Amino acid sequence: MLMHKDKATLLVVDIQEKLIPAIAGAQNLIARARWLIAAAHDCALPVVFSEQYPQGLGHTLPELLAAAPAAQVVEKLHFSCVSAGCLPRSLLEREQVIVCGMETHVCVLQTVLGLLQLGKQVFVVADVVGSRSDRDKELGLQRMQGAGAVLVSREMVLFEMLEKSGSEQFKAMSKKYLVGEQP
């Protein structure tokens, strides 16, 4: 199944100020997340950010919020966005949810499992998730895939949102996101 921008929302789970220093490969994760969020915004894909206990863990990184200034930010105490009941109606009304964020084996995993239980088509951006350990990240990805989530890359998201080459949008997006060094 393909991702479609008129059916999907990008959900960015808990990439927060006080948690990011503990994440393996944090700077690469931030760069890849900024790339994905900006590309989603430029493709008119709705974006939602979640924050786990922001009073203690801080807020979403400002550079990520700046990449999608119209995005909604929701707060939660449950690890799962679904269990927290914080997801906006606009996301829940769509068939597909594209998920990235941290930690892969905790909040991302529990959110993805909840979305699958709701009958959503869930795509996990494997190169834009992180955990404190690489082993936990890998186990989280394996468990989500085993439960029915589809693992994708940032470029898969971009190309499926664009659908075809030859357009002015494709040329602009290719120049901005595909030519040159990528994070």
Side-chain angles (χ1 to χ4, degrees), residues 26-183:
Q27 292 310 309
N28 286 332
L29 175 63
I30 294 167
R32 291 188 303 264
R34 187 180 324 115
W35 185 101
L36 176 64
I37 294 162
H41 179 266
D42 288 351
C43 287
L45 180 68
V47 178
V48 174
F49 294 96
S50 72
E51 295 180 344
Q52 176 71 29
Y53 182 58
Q55 297 81 356
L57 296 175
H59 293 283
T60 301
L61 298 177
E63 61 263 45
L64 301 184
L65 293 171
Q72 187 168 351
V73 179
V74 297
E75 295 182 9
K76 63 188 179 69
L77 293 176
H78 286 84
F79 299 124
S80 166
C81 292
V82 176
S83 295
C86 66
L87 294 173
R89 172 177 271 148
S90 60
L91 181 146
L92 294 171
E93 289 175 346
R94 290 181 165 238
E95 297 171 41
Q96 300 178 332
V97 185
I98 302 165
V99 182
C100 68
M102 50 193 229
E103 282 193 81
T104 312
H105 66 296
V106 184
C107 295
V108 174
L109 171 68
Q110 291 185 32
T111 297
V112 165
L113 295 177
L115 289 167
L116 290 167
Q117 286 182 325
L118 293 177
K120 302 296 179 192
Q121 296 172 7
V122 183
F123 301 86
V124 179
V125 188
D127 54 338
V128 191
V129 293
S131 291
R132 286 167 286 142
S133 80
D134 290 334
R135 180 72 178 142
D136 282 335
K137 175 183 171 179
E138 189 57 40
L139 288 170
L141 287 170
Q142 289 174 11
R143 189 164 170 204
M144 288 183 274
Q145 187 174 38
V150 179
L151 301 185
V152 298
S153 70
R154 295 174 297 151
E155 282 201 12
M156 289 179 188
V157 175
L158 177 60
F159 279 100
E160 290 178 37
M161 294 306 107
L162 292 172
E163 295 186 47
K164 64 180 183 172
S165 65
S167 68
E168 287 305 314
Q169 181 187 26
F170 177 83
K171 291 175 188 174
M173 297 291 276
S174 178
K175 186 179 283 189
K176 186 171 182 179
Y177 295 104
L178 303 173
V179 177
E181 191 175 321
Q182 291 187 40

